[in-house]
Amino acid sequence: MTDPVLRIGNASGFYGDRFDAMREMLDGGELDVLTGDYLAELTMLILGRDRLKDPRLGYAKTFLRQLEQCLGLALDRGVRIVANAGGLNPAGLADAVRGLAERLGVPARVAHVEGDDLLARGRWGAGVLTANAYLGGAGIAACLRAGADIVVTGRVTDAALVTGPAAAHFGWGPEEYDALAGAVVAGHVLECGTQATGGNYAFFAGHDARALRRPGFPLAELHADGSCVITKHPGTGGLVDVGTVTAQLLYETGGARYAGPDVTARLDTVRLEPDGPDRVRISGVRGEAPPPTLKVGLNRIGGWRNEVVFVLTGLDIEAKAQLVRDQLEDAFAADGGRQRPAHVHWELARTERENGDTQERASAYLRLVVRDGDPEKVGRAVSGAAVELALASYPGFHVTAPPGKGAPYGVFEARYVDAGEVTHTAVLPDGERVTVPPPVRTEPAAPVRPPAGPSGSPLPAGPSGSPLPGPPPPVALPGPLPSVWPSGPPLPVALPPAALPGPLPPVALPDPLPPGPCRAAPLGLVAGARSGDKGGDANVGVWARSDAAWRWLAHELTEDRFRALLPETAGLTVVRHVLPNLRALNFVVEGILGEGVAAQARFDPQAKALGEWLRSRYVDIPEVLL
């Protein structure tokens, strides 16, 4: 008889997360499945470079070291382990796990999922190291149904680590969209580990600091209808409340339709409610058919990068910055400008204090970042020019570190292919290869209509145009993928948009607060935020802590107001999405991260603190909320 509750825990939110977490989760309490999310856009680039050095690599090596300590314990306790640590070489990691099990004398049944690696299939362009489709959880489910104790995958969606075990346990079919959508939401909450249990939480200062020093990892108690309770093992640090779960739900998302290969989950249907200490119930999640395409993440070497940070101390900060900038620009212009890097970026951070009581507090920083396809132009040409100024520039000249020779940087790009052109394969413990069929029914993830104002009329659009993006223009569809594509110029890899599903009725915004006295104060006193990256875009999820604050926030924080508060976004497309059930707004800022995190084009290349910057900005807040 199927257990009515499936307990799925998480022991890794990224490659490099807490090493002891796997043992802590296995020792800490009851568990049926333990997942590990090791992959991110940047991680795939790192693994791609590993694979260049040694074709046998390409997977997360720390997973093996964790298993060496925990494999016997997991099998003794009947806990299955599902992880995407296979990266670019899931078959290689599966073989390594079998070798480890044999060496330890533990009879583990190991399976893996492959088919996501499309590098050999496409003419993706120059310098591409990785090309991986984001697969769903059906391959994982097939492995678990075949009795696997350990399942390792390549690039699957983060939520697939939960949808796969849930579908296998409850016997869900591919069209049980509401149940699958509930599992997607649970997986999205779990995927970043301790971000659901108090880590990186906007309101950490209002909680026990000792408890937050070492937050426990999260787990979900899943039910057959897709609802769940998010919690953590008893006695572990951190906290789980509606705020921590809301923050993680908003992390790295876009509109109300959260599309994936298993199902499109409707984030505007999610309902959260307390279920006791460190317990939050998630219910009401609705699902729709998945889109006809799979996202393919490409990583390539974009060129070479170098950085020099000049320290400017005391008086005349602006003049000192201008002098060294002019001197470096003169050096770049020498020899007809042939040594000038293609991209030169200067940023002056005025961190100094007037009459500073320490030398560092009396100092500002001038940051020079250069990028070019030629390593010489960012290496010796920059470091030599900077070093030569040591005795010939502004008073007090020094840098935070000696200039180096530069390093390669990566670029991330997303493309889309027809799901039917990707051979999603489950390799079962006995070696049998099972092809996972693509979804029979699909629907493009059309945007949800913008909410209406109190009178029922839509909110006015910001400078970016409509509050919601329209469908993309049609792009030519390539022919079927042969086993190896011939060489030649890049082909378009995208699908024309099909007929979009009918629009949903707009959701009414709450009535605004009545007029009253206001006081200039940081937005973060009444609203939380969490931000993150998706390729070159960033999202900032903002949620209100009370119904009254939501009535104010929903009308105050428009796209225009967002741009005014964060001037770096002024020239960019900003799209606002409204999630009333969560009392939340989600802003997608297009292009703020340039070519992605690996390109390091911005001070905060993953936009991790963009939300905290927003919370620090002063706005006129009704005094009744303060």
Side-chain angles (χ1 to χ4, degrees), residues 75-292:
L75 295 182
D76 287 345
R77 301 200 170 179
V79 178
R80 293 175 164 187
I81 295 178
V82 179
N84 60 14
L88 302 175
N89 189 7
L93 179 57
D95 285 342
V97 172
R98 292 186 192 98
L100 173 66
E102 183 177 352
R103 179 164 60 84
L104 296 176
V106 177
R109 292 170 56 81
V110 183
H112 74 275
V113 177
E114 62 185 31
D116 61 295
D117 194 338
L118 305 183
L119 184 62
R121 288 189 169 197
R123 291 173 288 178
W124 304 107
V128 173
L129 291 182
T130 70
N132 294 79
Y134 288 69
L135 304 180
I140 296 170
C143 294
L144 293 172
R145 287 177 180 133
D149 301 307
I150 310 291
V151 182
V152 295
T153 76
R155 200 30 162 151
V156 297
T157 64
D158 301 335
L161 302 175
V162 172
T163 61
H169 181 81
F170 294 115
W172 295 337
E175 295 188 29
E176 295 190 49
Y177 298 134
D178 290 349
L180 286 166
V184 164
V185 169
H188 182 60
V189 174
L190 295 186
E191 71 183 57
C192 289
T194 53
Q195 280 199 165
T197 58
N200 300 350
Y201 183 45
F203 299 110
F204 77 99
H207 295 275
D208 179 5
R210 183 175 295 276
L212 291 178
R213 288 183 187 176
R214 190 179 176 88
F217 276 69
L219 64 95
E221 298 172 356
L222 270 163
H223 299 270
D225 63 354
S227 65
C228 72
V229 171
I230 303 297
T231 185
K232 61 188 183 70
H233 282 324
T236 56
L239 73 143
V240 177
D241 65 14
V242 170
T244 66
V245 174
T246 298
Q248 180 55 29
L249 273 176
L250 295 172
Y251 183 64
E252 294 183 342
T253 59
R257 280 188 167 102
Y258 188 63
D262 295 311
V263 66
T264 293
R266 288 289 303 277
L267 298 183
D268 57 341
T269 64
V270 176
R271 296 192 178 277
L272 306 180
E273 56 185 336
D275 193 59
D278 288 317
R279 293 175 63 85
V280 173
R281 180 171 297 279
I282 302 178
S283 62
V285 186
R286 301 300 300 273
E288 299 169 347

Side-chain angles (χ1 to χ4, degrees), residues 564-584:
L565 291 172
L566 302 185
E568 288 183 33
T569 69
L572 302 173
T573 297
V574 176
V575 181
R576 183 178 104 147
H577 303 278
V578 184
L579 301 170
N581 283 2
L582 301 177
R583 298 191 304 222

